[in-house]
Amino acid sequence: MNRENCYTEMQAKIFKALGHSSRLKIVESLFAGERCVCELQAIVGSDMSTVSKHLNILKEAGVLQDERRGTNIYYSLRMKCVAKFLNCVEEFVGQTMEEQIRIYSRSKVSS
Amino acid sequence: MNRENCYTEMQAKIFKALGHSSRLKIVESLFAGERCVCELQAIVGSDMSTVSKHLNILKEAGVLQDERRGTNIYYSLRMKCVAKFLNCVEEFVGQTMEEQIRIYSRSKVSS
DNA sequence: CTCAAGTTTGGTTTTTTGGCCAAAAAGGAA
DNA sequence: TTCCTTTTTGGCCAAAAAACCAAACTTGAG
């Protein structure tokens, strides 16, 4: 694989890591600061092992970093610019959702 | 599904759409302007039907839009802020790649 | 040392995704 | 209409991802 392709692969890996609702929830909850795995498990609501694997995917992509303190392992945001992009995505989704609702209610009226 | 979850799902859908190297290539090539499917097929290098499916995923997520003119269908970027985030991701990947290379060459020396 | 708490790893099953092929649409031109 | 070009759809198969459970690992406390 050449350097160009490798670049694209690594970028795709970041998007792939963010492309799952549980992982997105994890990342969003980390905007406020670091959390241990058990806290994140409570937020996501899946099995601990599942959450652990999600965290590893995010860490492998470079989005998160972890630090052990005692028996706990704390995860935090490493790739800061995710926050900015998520703002844009949220705004975009908000608009799209409104459009969807408009389209939906229009088709409901006309049918 | 409640509104909150729906929001997260839609956001994840956007990231998922961008989380594939072929689709990322498509999006990047559209920064310069619209392209028809056959042009995009040449860029990606997969079967036309495969490219078409990738395009649909990006369109469904709201990242792209399409417009038919004659027998051609032109795709273009709808979600403009992707460009900004990709800059950040590229920068980030660049740094990470340098780190990886550093780590790799160090381990090569020490072994 | 043993024990308990927190976390990860391995194995298995189920679900989703990607890629290719052939067939079907959708337009434009003759 | 028929033919040709461009694009999408459906079917199938292989590969990847996700979820769950049980077992293992790591560290601090007693």
Side-chain angles (χ1 to χ4, degrees), chain A residues 6-12 14-16 18-21 24-25 28 62 78-79 81-82 85-86 88-90 92-94 97 99, chain B residues 5 7-12 14-16 18-21 24 28 62 78-79 81-82 85-86 88-90 92-94 97 99:
Chain A
C6 179
Y7 237 77
T8 310
E9 280 307 329
M10 286 177 77
Q11 286 173 223
I14 291 169
F15 284 110
K16 213 175 292 183
L18 294 165
H20 187 288
S21 53
L24 217 43
K25 269 184 208 158
E28 278 171 355
R78 178 164 171 243
M79 189 176 177
C81 61
V82 175
F85 184 53
L86 258 171
C88 158
V89 170
E90 270 166 34
F92 187 82
V93 167
M97 202 127 103
E99 274 173 45
Chain B
N5 278 177
Y7 237 78
T8 310
E9 281 305 331
M10 288 175 77
Q11 287 172 222
I14 292 170
F15 285 109
K16 214 174 292 184
L18 294 166
H20 187 286
S21 52
L24 219 41
E28 278 171 356
R78 178 163 172 244
M79 190 175 174
C81 62
V82 175
F85 184 55
L86 258 171
C88 158
V89 170
E90 270 167 34
F92 187 83
V93 167
M97 202 127 102
E99 275 173 45

Tab-separated table of all heavy atoms in Angstrom, chain A residues 6-12 14-16 18-21 24-25 28 62 78-79 81-82 85-86 88-90 92-94 97 99, chain B residues 5 7-12 14-16 18-21 24 28 62 78-79 81-82 85-86 88-90 92-94 97 99:
chain	number	residue	atom	x	y	z
A	6	CYS	N	-2.562	4.719	2.364
A	6	CYS	CA	-2.436	4.540	3.795
A	6	CYS	C	-3.096	5.700	4.531
A	6	CYS	O	-3.802	5.518	5.516
A	6	CYS	CB	-0.957	4.438	4.159
A	6	CYS	SG	-0.658	4.238	5.906
A	7	TYR	N	-2.867	6.895	4.021
A	7	TYR	CA	-3.494	8.105	4.560
A	7	TYR	C	-5.012	7.969	4.556
A	7	TYR	O	-5.670	8.182	5.571
A	7	TYR	CB	-3.092	9.291	3.677
A	7	TYR	CG	-2.420	10.400	4.417
A	7	TYR	CD1	-1.088	10.306	4.799
A	7	TYR	CD2	-3.130	11.560	4.742
A	7	TYR	CE1	-0.465	11.327	5.484
A	7	TYR	CE2	-2.503	12.593	5.432
A	7	TYR	CZ	-1.174	12.477	5.800
A	7	TYR	OH	-0.570	13.502	6.479
A	8	THR	N	-5.536	7.614	3.391
A	8	THR	CA	-6.988	7.485	3.260
A	8	THR	C	-7.528	6.415	4.202
A	8	THR	O	-8.567	6.603	4.842
A	8	THR	CB	-7.362	7.154	1.801
A	8	THR	OG1	-6.702	8.073	0.935
A	8	THR	CG2	-8.857	7.258	1.579
A	9	GLU	N	-6.801	5.306	4.310
A	9	GLU	CA	-7.221	4.236	5.221
A	9	GLU	C	-7.312	4.735	6.658
A	9	GLU	O	-8.267	4.428	7.374
A	9	GLU	CB	-6.225	3.065	5.180
A	9	GLU	CG	-6.365	2.108	4.023
A	9	GLU	CD	-7.751	1.527	3.826
A	9	GLU	OE1	-8.489	1.354	4.808
A	9	GLU	OE2	-8.108	1.257	2.670
A	10	MET	N	-6.289	5.482	7.065
A	10	MET	CA	-6.261	5.973	8.444
A	10	MET	C	-7.393	6.965	8.704
A	10	MET	O	-7.995	6.964	9.780
A	10	MET	CB	-4.904	6.593	8.761
A	10	MET	CG	-3.812	5.550	8.932
A	10	MET	SD	-2.189	6.288	9.211
A	10	MET	CE	-2.312	6.770	10.936
A	11	GLN	N	-7.659	7.795	7.720
A	11	GLN	CA	-8.783	8.730	7.847
A	11	GLN	C	-10.090	7.960	7.968
A	11	GLN	O	-10.915	8.250	8.828
A	11	GLN	CB	-8.848	9.638	6.634
A	11	GLN	CG	-7.776	10.702	6.615
A	11	GLN	CD	-7.787	11.460	5.300
A	11	GLN	OE1	-6.748	11.729	4.736
A	11	GLN	NE2	-8.954	11.806	4.797
A	12	ALA	N	-10.252	6.973	7.099
A	12	ALA	CA	-11.475	6.178	7.111
A	12	ALA	C	-11.650	5.480	8.459
A	12	ALA	O	-12.762	5.363	8.976
A	12	ALA	CB	-11.460	5.152	5.985
A	14	ILE	N	-10.821	6.568	11.329
A	14	ILE	CA	-11.351	7.535	12.292
A	14	ILE	C	-12.862	7.672	12.128
A	14	ILE	O	-13.619	7.610	13.098
A	14	ILE	CB	-10.650	8.901	12.124
A	14	ILE	CG1	-9.192	8.790	12.564
A	14	ILE	CG2	-11.378	9.981	12.920
A	14	ILE	CD1	-8.337	9.973	12.210
A	15	PHE	N	-13.304	7.822	10.888
A	15	PHE	CA	-14.748	7.944	10.646
A	15	PHE	C	-15.475	6.667	11.040
A	15	PHE	O	-16.555	6.709	11.615
A	15	PHE	CB	-15.012	8.271	9.183
A	15	PHE	CG	-14.715	9.693	8.834
A	15	PHE	CD1	-13.639	10.018	8.031
A	15	PHE	CD2	-15.517	10.714	9.322
A	15	PHE	CE1	-13.357	11.341	7.715
A	15	PHE	CE2	-15.241	12.036	9.005
A	15	PHE	CZ	-14.150	12.350	8.198
A	16	LYS	N	-14.875	5.539	10.720
A	16	LYS	CA	-15.484	4.255	11.054
A	16	LYS	C	-15.645	4.143	12.573
A	16	LYS	O	-16.683	3.694	13.061
A	16	LYS	CB	-14.588	3.128	10.531
A	16	LYS	CG	-15.337	1.902	10.085
A	16	LYS	CD	-14.404	0.873	9.454
A	16	LYS	CE	-13.814	1.340	8.122
A	16	LYS	NZ	-12.966	0.319	7.471
A	18	LEU	N	-16.068	6.486	14.642
A	18	LEU	CA	-17.141	7.375	15.109
A	18	LEU	C	-18.510	6.949	14.585
A	18	LEU	O	-19.534	7.450	15.027
A	18	LEU	CB	-16.836	8.810	14.683
A	18	LEU	CG	-15.601	9.446	15.327
A	18	LEU	CD1	-15.193	10.700	14.586
A	18	LEU	CD2	-15.854	9.750	16.792
A	19	GLY	N	-18.529	6.010	13.671
A	19	GLY	CA	-19.774	5.604	13.011
A	19	GLY	C	-20.557	4.528	13.723
A	19	GLY	O	-20.959	3.541	13.108
A	20	HIS	N	-20.777	4.711	14.984
A	20	HIS	CA	-21.591	3.770	15.751
A	20	HIS	C	-22.177	4.537	16.920
A	20	HIS	O	-21.446	5.231	17.625
A	20	HIS	CB	-20.729	2.609	16.246
A	20	HIS	CG	-21.504	1.514	16.904
A	20	HIS	ND1	-22.064	1.663	18.152
A	20	HIS	CD2	-21.833	0.276	16.480
A	20	HIS	CE1	-22.688	0.544	18.471
A	20	HIS	NE2	-22.570	-0.308	17.470
A	21	SER	N	-23.480	4.408	17.127
A	21	SER	CA	-24.136	5.280	18.103
A	21	SER	C	-23.552	5.147	19.510
A	21	SER	O	-23.412	6.151	20.203
A	21	SER	CB	-25.643	5.058	18.101
A	21	SER	OG	-25.930	3.704	18.259
A	24	LEU	N	-20.335	7.056	19.532
A	24	LEU	CA	-20.599	8.487	19.451
A	24	LEU	C	-21.044	9.009	20.817
A	24	LEU	O	-20.615	10.081	21.256
A	24	LEU	CB	-21.689	8.716	18.412
A	24	LEU	CG	-21.595	9.943	17.528
A	24	LEU	CD1	-20.193	10.184	17.028
A	24	LEU	CD2	-22.547	9.810	16.356
A	25	LYS	N	-21.865	8.237	21.491
A	25	LYS	CA	-22.299	8.610	22.844
A	25	LYS	C	-21.103	8.718	23.771
A	25	LYS	O	-21.013	9.641	24.577
A	25	LYS	CB	-23.266	7.555	23.399
A	25	LYS	CG	-24.718	7.834	23.102
A	25	LYS	CD	-25.594	6.787	23.783
A	25	LYS	CE	-26.892	6.600	23.015
A	25	LYS	NZ	-27.531	5.307	23.281
A	28	GLU	N	-19.157	11.894	22.910
A	28	GLU	CA	-19.880	13.087	23.362
A	28	GLU	C	-19.799	13.258	24.872
A	28	GLU	O	-19.626	14.363	25.361
A	28	GLU	CB	-21.347	13.009	22.918
A	28	GLU	CG	-21.511	13.455	21.477
A	28	GLU	CD	-22.906	13.195	20.930
A	28	GLU	OE1	-23.731	12.583	21.635
A	28	GLU	OE2	-23.156	13.590	19.779
A	62	GLY	N	-7.166	6.621	17.362
A	62	GLY	CA	-6.500	7.830	17.849
A	62	GLY	C	-7.452	8.879	18.374
A	62	GLY	O	-7.036	9.981	18.727
A	78	ARG	N	-8.704	12.573	22.735
A	78	ARG	CA	-7.370	12.936	22.258
A	78	ARG	C	-7.493	13.830	21.023
A	78	ARG	O	-6.755	14.777	20.851
A	78	ARG	CB	-6.594	11.663	21.914
A	78	ARG	CG	-5.231	11.946	21.377
A	78	ARG	CD	-4.325	10.735	21.393
A	78	ARG	NE	-3.115	11.053	20.676
A	78	ARG	CZ	-2.698	10.455	19.565
A	78	ARG	NH1	-3.385	9.451	19.063
A	78	ARG	NH2	-1.606	10.833	18.951
A	79	MET	N	-8.439	13.486	20.186
A	79	MET	CA	-8.619	14.232	18.946
A	79	MET	C	-9.658	15.330	19.182
A	79	MET	O	-10.857	15.128	19.026
A	79	MET	CB	-9.129	13.259	17.886
A	79	MET	CG	-9.145	13.872	16.523
A	79	MET	SD	-9.648	12.649	15.317
A	79	MET	CE	-9.648	13.711	13.883
A	81	CYS	N	-10.535	18.070	17.680
A	81	CYS	CA	-11.342	18.715	16.645
A	81	CYS	C	-12.643	17.962	16.349
A	81	CYS	O	-13.497	18.460	15.628
A	81	CYS	CB	-10.554	18.942	15.367
A	81	CYS	SG	-9.935	17.447	14.599
A	82	VAL	N	-12.804	16.787	16.931
A	82	VAL	CA	-14.066	16.057	16.764
A	82	VAL	C	-15.224	16.904	17.269
A	82	VAL	O	-16.291	16.950	16.661
A	82	VAL	CB	-14.040	14.717	17.530
A	82	VAL	CG1	-15.381	14.034	17.439
A	82	VAL	CG2	-12.971	13.808	16.991
A	85	PHE	N	-16.440	19.416	14.712
A	85	PHE	CA	-17.172	18.793	13.606
A	85	PHE	C	-18.531	18.289	14.069
A	85	PHE	O	-19.521	18.413	13.346
A	85	PHE	CB	-16.359	17.644	13.016
A	85	PHE	CG	-16.998	17.009	11.817
A	85	PHE	CD1	-17.392	17.775	10.734
A	85	PHE	CD2	-17.232	15.646	11.772
A	85	PHE	CE1	-17.993	17.194	9.610
A	85	PHE	CE2	-17.823	15.053	10.653
A	85	PHE	CZ	-18.203	15.838	9.587
A	86	LEU	N	-18.593	17.773	15.285
A	86	LEU	CA	-19.866	17.269	15.784
A	86	LEU	C	-20.890	18.385	15.913
A	86	LEU	O	-22.084	18.176	15.709
A	86	LEU	CB	-19.674	16.551	17.116
A	86	LEU	CG	-19.677	15.041	16.957
A	86	LEU	CD1	-19.273	14.347	18.231
A	86	LEU	CD2	-21.070	14.565	16.542
A	88	CYS	N	-21.109	20.868	13.856
A	88	CYS	CA	-21.590	21.037	12.488
A	88	CYS	C	-22.557	19.925	12.120
A	88	CYS	O	-23.618	20.167	11.545
A	88	CYS	CB	-20.402	21.057	11.532
A	88	CYS	SG	-20.841	20.640	9.850
A	89	VAL	N	-22.202	18.701	12.477
A	89	VAL	CA	-23.056	17.557	12.159
A	89	VAL	C	-24.401	17.691	12.857
A	89	VAL	O	-25.449	17.453	12.259
A	89	VAL	CB	-22.371	16.230	12.567
A	89	VAL	CG1	-23.337	15.069	12.463
A	89	VAL	CG2	-21.160	15.971	11.703
A	90	GLU	N	-24.351	18.123	14.114
A	90	GLU	CA	-25.594	18.281	14.873
A	90	GLU	C	-26.515	19.305	14.219
A	90	GLU	O	-27.706	19.083	14.065
A	90	GLU	CB	-25.287	18.729	16.311
A	90	GLU	CG	-25.095	17.552	17.242
A	90	GLU	CD	-24.475	17.964	18.565
A	90	GLU	OE1	-24.751	19.083	19.049
A	90	GLU	OE2	-23.692	17.163	19.111
A	92	PHE	N	-26.456	20.222	11.134
A	92	PHE	CA	-26.886	19.644	9.868
A	92	PHE	C	-28.013	18.641	10.072
A	92	PHE	O	-29.032	18.674	9.372
A	92	PHE	CB	-25.681	18.953	9.222
A	92	PHE	CG	-25.912	18.447	7.843
A	92	PHE	CD1	-25.813	19.295	6.755
A	92	PHE	CD2	-26.230	17.126	7.640
A	92	PHE	CE1	-26.028	18.823	5.480
A	92	PHE	CE2	-26.444	16.646	6.360
A	92	PHE	CZ	-26.344	17.498	5.275
A	93	VAL	N	-27.836	17.780	11.059
A	93	VAL	CA	-28.863	16.781	11.352
A	93	VAL	C	-30.152	17.462	11.802
A	93	VAL	O	-31.244	17.058	11.415
A	93	VAL	CB	-28.368	15.783	12.425
A	93	VAL	CG1	-29.510	14.952	12.977
A	93	VAL	CG2	-27.298	14.873	11.853
A	94	GLY	N	-30.008	18.524	12.573
A	94	GLY	CA	-31.172	19.284	13.020
A	94	GLY	C	-31.978	19.781	11.837
A	94	GLY	O	-33.194	19.591	11.764
A	97	MET	N	-33.509	16.881	9.906
A	97	MET	CA	-34.625	16.305	10.648
A	97	MET	C	-35.867	17.162	10.444
A	97	MET	O	-36.945	16.641	10.205
A	97	MET	CB	-34.276	16.231	12.127
A	97	MET	CG	-35.102	15.222	12.846
A	97	MET	SD	-34.054	14.089	13.746
A	97	MET	CE	-34.256	14.720	15.398
A	99	GLU	N	-36.501	19.075	7.923
A	99	GLU	CA	-36.954	18.836	6.547
A	99	GLU	C	-37.756	17.547	6.469
A	99	GLU	O	-38.837	17.512	5.882
A	99	GLU	CB	-35.744	18.688	5.612
A	99	GLU	CG	-35.224	20.005	5.084
A	99	GLU	CD	-33.926	19.796	4.307
A	99	GLU	OE1	-33.880	18.869	3.501
A	99	GLU	OE2	-32.959	20.557	4.538
B	5	ASN	N	-32.106	9.597	20.743
B	5	ASN	CA	-31.502	8.432	20.081
B	5	ASN	C	-31.496	8.588	18.576
B	5	ASN	O	-30.529	8.224	17.914
B	5	ASN	CB	-32.270	7.155	20.435
B	5	ASN	CG	-31.834	6.605	21.786
B	5	ASN	OD1	-32.370	5.636	22.251
B	5	ASN	ND2	-30.870	7.247	22.423
B	7	TYR	N	-31.394	11.321	16.893
B	7	TYR	CA	-30.331	12.276	16.612
B	7	TYR	C	-28.989	11.569	16.514
B	7	TYR	O	-28.248	11.731	15.544
B	7	TYR	CB	-30.273	13.305	17.753
B	7	TYR	CG	-30.420	14.719	17.297
B	7	TYR	CD1	-31.678	15.224	16.975
B	7	TYR	CD2	-29.313	15.551	17.187
B	7	TYR	CE1	-31.814	16.528	16.553
B	7	TYR	CE2	-29.453	16.863	16.770
B	7	TYR	CZ	-30.701	17.345	16.459
B	7	TYR	OH	-30.839	18.637	16.039
B	8	THR	N	-28.694	10.793	17.547
B	8	THR	CA	-27.412	10.085	17.588
B	8	THR	C	-27.293	9.115	16.421
B	8	THR	O	-26.232	9.011	15.792
B	8	THR	CB	-27.257	9.335	18.917
B	8	THR	OG1	-27.541	10.226	19.989
B	8	THR	CG2	-25.851	8.785	19.092
B	9	GLU	N	-28.375	8.428	16.104
B	9	GLU	CA	-28.366	7.494	14.972
B	9	GLU	C	-28.031	8.212	13.674
B	9	GLU	O	-27.231	7.737	12.866
B	9	GLU	CB	-29.743	6.826	14.800
B	9	GLU	CG	-30.042	5.685	15.733
B	9	GLU	CD	-29.012	4.570	15.715
B	9	GLU	OE1	-28.363	4.351	14.683
B	9	GLU	OE2	-28.843	3.928	16.761
B	10	MET	N	-28.658	9.381	13.473
B	10	MET	CA	-28.428	10.128	12.235
B	10	MET	C	-26.992	10.624	12.149
B	10	MET	O	-26.383	10.631	11.075
B	10	MET	CB	-29.412	11.285	12.108
B	10	MET	CG	-30.825	10.819	11.798
B	10	MET	SD	-32.025	12.169	11.779
B	10	MET	CE	-31.669	12.923	10.187
B	11	GLN	N	-26.459	11.064	13.278
B	11	GLN	CA	-25.060	11.491	13.305
B	11	GLN	C	-24.145	10.322	12.968
B	11	GLN	O	-23.223	10.448	12.159
B	11	GLN	CB	-24.697	12.034	14.687
B	11	GLN	CG	-25.292	13.383	14.984
B	11	GLN	CD	-25.056	13.787	16.423
B	11	GLN	OE1	-25.934	14.314	17.067
B	11	GLN	NE2	-23.873	13.507	16.943
B	12	ALA	N	-24.415	9.185	13.609
B	12	ALA	CA	-23.596	7.993	13.376
B	12	ALA	C	-23.651	7.591	11.908
B	12	ALA	O	-22.650	7.160	11.328
B	12	ALA	CB	-24.070	6.852	14.262
B	14	ILE	N	-23.864	9.490	9.364
B	14	ILE	CA	-22.955	10.359	8.618
B	14	ILE	C	-21.522	9.854	8.738
B	14	ILE	O	-20.815	9.715	7.745
B	14	ILE	CB	-23.074	11.817	9.106
B	14	ILE	CG1	-24.449	12.379	8.731
B	14	ILE	CG2	-21.956	12.673	8.527
B	14	ILE	CD1	-24.777	13.710	9.365
B	15	PHE	N	-21.116	9.552	9.955
B	15	PHE	CA	-19.749	9.044	10.159
B	15	PHE	C	-19.558	7.695	9.472
B	15	PHE	O	-18.527	7.430	8.872
B	15	PHE	CB	-19.443	8.925	11.645
B	15	PHE	CG	-19.184	10.237	12.298
B	15	PHE	CD1	-20.086	10.784	13.184
B	15	PHE	CD2	-18.023	10.948	12.021
B	15	PHE	CE1	-19.848	12.007	13.793
B	15	PHE	CE2	-17.779	12.166	12.618
B	15	PHE	CZ	-18.697	12.701	13.505
B	16	LYS	N	-20.575	6.847	9.577
B	16	LYS	CA	-20.502	5.537	8.956
B	16	LYS	C	-20.331	5.687	7.441
B	16	LYS	O	-19.540	4.986	6.816
B	16	LYS	CB	-21.796	4.769	9.264
B	16	LYS	CG	-21.620	3.291	9.438
B	16	LYS	CD	-22.933	2.621	9.880
B	16	LYS	CE	-23.343	3.019	11.286
B	16	LYS	NZ	-24.561	2.312	11.756
B	18	LEU	N	-18.928	8.061	5.901
B	18	LEU	CA	-17.572	8.537	5.582
B	18	LEU	C	-16.510	7.508	5.944
B	18	LEU	O	-15.349	7.647	5.564
B	18	LEU	CB	-17.309	9.852	6.318
B	18	LEU	CG	-18.179	11.031	5.872
B	18	LEU	CD1	-18.095	12.164	6.879
B	18	LEU	CD2	-17.773	11.514	4.488
B	19	GLY	N	-16.905	6.455	6.631
B	19	GLY	CA	-15.950	5.481	7.132
B	19	GLY	C	-15.587	4.361	6.173
B	19	GLY	O	-15.594	3.193	6.546
B	20	HIS	N	-15.281	4.712	4.960
B	20	HIS	CA	-14.842	3.715	3.978
B	20	HIS	C	-13.963	4.427	2.962
B	20	HIS	O	-14.345	5.478	2.449
B	20	HIS	CB	-16.069	3.092	3.298
B	20	HIS	CG	-15.723	1.952	2.390
B	20	HIS	ND1	-15.138	2.143	1.165
B	20	HIS	CD2	-15.854	0.619	2.548
B	20	HIS	CE1	-14.940	0.961	0.592
B	20	HIS	NE2	-15.362	0.018	1.418
B	21	SER	N	-12.815	3.851	2.667
B	21	SER	CA	-11.841	4.583	1.857
B	21	SER	C	-12.382	4.974	0.482
B	21	SER	O	-12.105	6.072	0.010
B	21	SER	CB	-10.543	3.799	1.731
B	21	SER	OG	-10.802	2.502	1.289
B	24	LEU	N	-14.614	7.930	1.007
B	24	LEU	CA	-13.816	9.096	1.360
B	24	LEU	C	-13.170	9.685	0.105
B	24	LEU	O	-13.140	10.898	-0.078
B	24	LEU	CB	-12.739	8.660	2.362
B	24	LEU	CG	-12.400	9.595	3.509
B	24	LEU	CD1	-13.627	10.243	4.113
B	24	LEU	CD2	-11.623	8.845	4.569
B	28	GLU	N	-13.711	13.444	-1.256
B	28	GLU	CA	-12.567	14.324	-1.493
B	28	GLU	C	-12.524	14.828	-2.933
B	28	GLU	O	-12.232	15.988	-3.171
B	28	GLU	CB	-11.263	13.591	-1.151
B	28	GLU	CG	-10.976	13.640	0.345
B	28	GLU	CD	-9.819	12.745	0.760
B	28	GLU	OE1	-9.285	12.021	-0.094
B	28	GLU	OE2	-9.471	12.774	1.953
B	62	GLY	N	-26.984	12.221	3.732
B	62	GLY	CA	-27.109	13.665	3.539
B	62	GLY	C	-25.808	14.346	3.179
B	62	GLY	O	-25.743	15.561	3.073
B	78	ARG	N	-23.068	18.083	-0.391
B	78	ARG	CA	-24.159	18.832	0.228
B	78	ARG	C	-23.726	19.324	1.602
B	78	ARG	O	-24.033	20.432	2.005
B	78	ARG	CB	-25.382	17.915	0.354
B	78	ARG	CG	-26.543	18.585	1.012
B	78	ARG	CD	-27.864	17.865	0.797
B	78	ARG	NE	-28.878	18.470	1.615
B	78	ARG	CZ	-29.528	17.863	2.606
B	78	ARG	NH1	-29.305	16.593	2.866
B	78	ARG	NH2	-30.414	18.515	3.338
B	79	MET	N	-23.023	18.459	2.305
B	79	MET	CA	-22.600	18.812	3.661
B	79	MET	C	-21.213	19.441	3.598
B	79	MET	O	-20.194	18.760	3.628
B	79	MET	CB	-22.554	17.524	4.474
B	79	MET	CG	-22.360	17.788	5.934
B	79	MET	SD	-22.473	16.240	6.832
B	79	MET	CE	-22.030	16.871	8.451
B	81	CYS	N	-19.372	21.247	5.570
B	81	CYS	CA	-18.407	21.292	6.669
B	81	CYS	C	-17.532	20.046	6.742
B	81	CYS	O	-16.577	20.007	7.511
B	81	CYS	CB	-19.087	21.558	7.997
B	81	CYS	SG	-20.272	20.303	8.489
B	82	VAL	N	-17.827	19.056	5.929
B	82	VAL	CA	-16.969	17.868	5.883
B	82	VAL	C	-15.540	18.273	5.529
B	82	VAL	O	-14.571	17.761	6.081
B	82	VAL	CB	-17.480	16.847	4.853
B	82	VAL	CG1	-16.521	15.677	4.736
B	82	VAL	CG2	-18.845	16.350	5.238
B	85	PHE	N	-13.521	19.493	8.486
B	85	PHE	CA	-13.150	18.416	9.398
B	85	PHE	C	-12.072	17.526	8.785
B	85	PHE	O	-11.153	17.092	9.476
B	85	PHE	CB	-14.377	17.594	9.776
B	85	PHE	CG	-14.092	16.526	10.787
B	85	PHE	CD1	-13.489	16.844	11.999
B	85	PHE	CD2	-14.423	15.202	10.547
B	85	PHE	CE1	-13.228	15.866	12.943
B	85	PHE	CE2	-14.167	14.220	11.486
B	85	PHE	CZ	-13.563	14.553	12.686
B	86	LEU	N	-12.177	17.298	7.505
B	86	LEU	CA	-11.186	16.449	6.850
B	86	LEU	C	-9.795	17.067	6.922
B	86	LEU	O	-8.800	16.366	7.029
B	86	LEU	CB	-11.591	16.163	5.410
B	86	LEU	CG	-12.187	14.782	5.234
B	86	LEU	CD1	-12.777	14.595	3.854
B	86	LEU	CD2	-11.133	13.711	5.470
B	88	CYS	N	-8.709	18.776	9.421
B	88	CYS	CA	-8.266	18.456	10.775
B	88	CYS	C	-7.836	17.003	10.871
B	88	CYS	O	-6.787	16.692	11.440
B	88	CYS	CB	-9.393	18.755	11.753
B	88	CYS	SG	-9.251	17.866	13.297
B	89	VAL	N	-8.625	16.123	10.287
B	89	VAL	CA	-8.312	14.696	10.330
B	89	VAL	C	-6.994	14.428	9.622
B	89	VAL	O	-6.146	13.680	10.106
B	89	VAL	CB	-9.444	13.863	9.690
B	89	VAL	CG1	-9.021	12.411	9.521
B	89	VAL	CG2	-10.703	13.935	10.531
B	90	GLU	N	-6.813	15.083	8.488
B	90	GLU	CA	-5.566	14.906	7.734
B	90	GLU	C	-4.356	15.322	8.549
B	90	GLU	O	-3.353	14.616	8.604
B	90	GLU	CB	-5.613	15.721	6.440
B	90	GLU	CG	-6.186	14.927	5.277
B	90	GLU	CD	-6.519	15.823	4.095
B	90	GLU	OE1	-5.814	16.809	3.849
B	90	GLU	OE2	-7.535	15.529	3.426
B	92	PHE	N	-4.180	15.518	11.751
B	92	PHE	CA	-4.082	14.572	12.855
B	92	PHE	C	-3.415	13.276	12.401
B	92	PHE	O	-2.507	12.763	13.058
B	92	PHE	CB	-5.484	14.297	13.382
B	92	PHE	CG	-5.523	13.472	14.617
B	92	PHE	CD1	-5.344	14.052	15.864
B	92	PHE	CD2	-5.761	12.117	14.538
B	92	PHE	CE1	-5.392	13.283	17.005
B	92	PHE	CE2	-5.816	11.342	15.680
B	92	PHE	CZ	-5.628	11.933	16.914
B	93	VAL	N	-3.873	12.774	11.267
B	93	VAL	CA	-3.312	11.541	10.728
B	93	VAL	C	-1.841	11.743	10.389
B	93	VAL	O	-1.008	10.869	10.637
B	93	VAL	CB	-4.099	11.074	9.483
B	93	VAL	CG1	-3.335	9.994	8.733
B	93	VAL	CG2	-5.465	10.562	9.884
B	94	GLY	N	-1.515	12.908	9.859
B	94	GLY	CA	-0.127	13.229	9.538
B	94	GLY	C	0.756	13.113	10.766
B	94	GLY	O	1.798	12.457	10.741
B	97	MET	N	0.938	9.518	11.980
B	97	MET	CA	1.767	8.719	11.093
B	97	MET	C	3.239	8.942	11.424
B	97	MET	O	4.012	8.000	11.508
B	97	MET	CB	1.496	9.095	9.641
B	97	MET	CG	1.879	8.020	8.686
B	97	MET	SD	0.514	7.607	7.615
B	97	MET	CE	1.008	8.458	6.145
B	99	GLU	N	4.457	9.856	14.268
B	99	GLU	CA	4.687	9.162	15.553
B	99	GLU	C	4.917	7.681	15.324
B	99	GLU	O	5.846	7.094	15.868
B	99	GLU	CB	3.477	9.318	16.477
B	99	GLU	CG	3.490	10.600	17.287
B	99	GLU	CD	2.189	10.774	18.042
B	99	GLU	OE1	1.721	9.800	18.643
B	99	GLU	OE2	1.623	11.888	18.008
